[in-house]
Amino acid sequence: MASPRPATLVLAALAGGSAFFSASQLFTGPALPVPMASRVARAARNRGYEGLYQPFGPDTYKKEGEPDEVTGYSVVNAQRFDLYDWGLNLNGDKLDNLEDYYEEALIGKGGMPEGSAIFLKDLILKSYFVRNWDSAGFPGPKDRNFTGPNFQPSEADFEKALRKMKRNISMKKHYVGKDDGQGWTWLVAHQGPGGLTLVTHRSPPFGQRPLALIKDGEVGKFFLRVYWPRLFMRLHKFQLWGGKVRQFPYPVRMSENFKKQKKG
């Protein structure tokens, strides 16, 4: 049999590398802390938006290229991940800082996500500009009746999706799982067959990626003061594990040969 041509080997290597990269991007494991690497973030940064490089609090945000007086790093060349304000983490075994986690996201001016968090604006449209929700609480068929030019989404469409989001949370409708009665709505990034969407839970969303907590009776307060870049940073964090969920949802079974080698 004839040996494969060099061009065939090169194409096969490229295809394998592409498949490995795609697999590494699955939303099932720890996220790589590279918020500046996304196309949306780069576009926002190039337009001079604030919000991605924020190590010192909401009153000291730096704009594009403006150096920090302490570190000397500028927004455009900051490569050290410790310069980012990653915020609080949740311990799934304890969940003893929920109030602080809630308040941490309330340092903004509400409204529609913009700037470095503009990706969330698209997620809200995708998740709430829908015809209905299924019985499990996930978004159903998309509503393609956009009102912008050339059948593209208009600002009114984005506002409509945000209103639906607020209404669902206020009325405790279309959430995933059961209500544990603790008085919290969890806003969660869910990776499903149709891609990334936003869903809500009424109990800790173990195995999912929480973005925000919203307290019962304070939904209006949340949307008036939410700081969307904080939620965008949480999108690059880990899933919530702990409590009753301690094992990876897809256990790896060892082959008999591997068991024998391990015993030997």
Side-chain angles (χ1 to χ4, degrees):
M1 186 176 64
S3 60
R5 296 180 180 178
T8 304
L9 294 176
V10 171
L11 290 175
L14 290 174
S18 177
F20 175 81
F21 178 79
S22 299
S24 68
Q25 304 304 304
L26 289 176
F27 200 73
T28 56
L32 295 176
V34 287
M36 280 192 177
S38 73
R39 181 172 59 184
V40 173
R42 284 199 302 270
R45 205 176 65 224
N46 291 336
R47 290 194 296 271
Y49 285 121
E50 303 173 355
L52 199 59
Y53 170 65
Q54 302 158 358
F56 300 111
D59 297 325
T60 57
Y61 298 157
K62 307 299 177 182
K63 289 187 176 181
E64 174 84 23
E66 182 179 346
D68 175 73
E69 57 272 14
V70 176
T71 65
Y73 284 83
S74 66
V75 179
V76 71
N77 66 11
Q79 297 296 324
R80 287 175 47 192
F81 298 136
D82 59 330
L83 296 182
Y84 295 99
D85 176 14
W86 289 101
L88 297 173
N89 293 316
L90 294 174
N91 184 329
D93 289 323
K94 296 180 180 180
L95 294 178
D96 54 356
N97 59 343
L98 299 187
E99 189 71 33
D100 293 336
Y101 188 82
Y102 166 65
E103 293 290 343
E104 185 187 44
L106 301 183
I107 61 170
K109 299 179 181 179
M112 187 68 69
E114 297 290 351
S116 61
I118 199 169
F119 178 63
L120 294 178
K121 181 178 181 179
D122 290 331
L123 271 187
I124 292 173
L125 183 76
K126 178 181 178 181
S127 308
Y128 289 92
F129 201 83
V130 296
R131 297 174 187 173
N132 52 50
W133 283 260
D134 64 22
S135 58
F138 294 99
K142 305 296 185 291
D143 186 350
R144 301 296 182 184
N145 295 319
F146 296 131
T147 60
N150 300 319
F151 305 102
Q152 295 298 306
S154 66
E155 284 301 314
D157 297 331
F158 285 103
E159 292 289 347
K160 180 179 179 180
L162 184 61
R163 287 196 301 272
K164 282 188 176 182
M165 180 182 182
K166 295 177 183 178
R167 184 184 64 203
N168 282 3
I169 295 173
S170 297
M171 301 177 67
K172 304 175 187 177
K173 294 175 58 178
H174 308 304
Y175 58 83
V176 178
K178 298 181 179 180
D179 189 340
D180 63 4
Q182 297 300 308
W184 294 107
T185 294
W186 296 73
L187 182 63
V188 172
H190 169 75
Q191 179 69 49
L196 193 64
T197 55
L198 299 176
V199 298
T200 53
H201 289 241
R202 293 286 300 171
S203 57
F206 292 113
Q208 301 283 1
R209 189 160 302 183
L211 301 184
L213 277 168
I214 304 169
K215 186 181 294 186
D216 287 358
E218 297 187 3
V219 178
K221 170 186 174 181
F222 176 85
F223 283 101
L224 282 174
R225 297 175 54 189
V226 60
Y227 182 59
W228 293 109
R230 168 63 61 205
L231 276 61
F232 181 70
M233 294 295 279
R234 290 172 178 174
L235 185 63
H236 297 81
K237 288 190 171 187
F238 296 91
Q239 317 290 72
L240 179 65
W241 294 108
K244 298 179 180 179
V245 184
R246 297 180 181 277
Q247 294 183 349
F248 190 71
Y250 307 104
V252 179
R253 296 181 180 178
M254 292 189 296
S255 66
E256 292 300 324
N257 290 335
F258 184 81
K259 291 179 180 178
K260 292 178 181 178
Q261 293 175 7
K262 190 175 181 182
K263 289 180 180 179

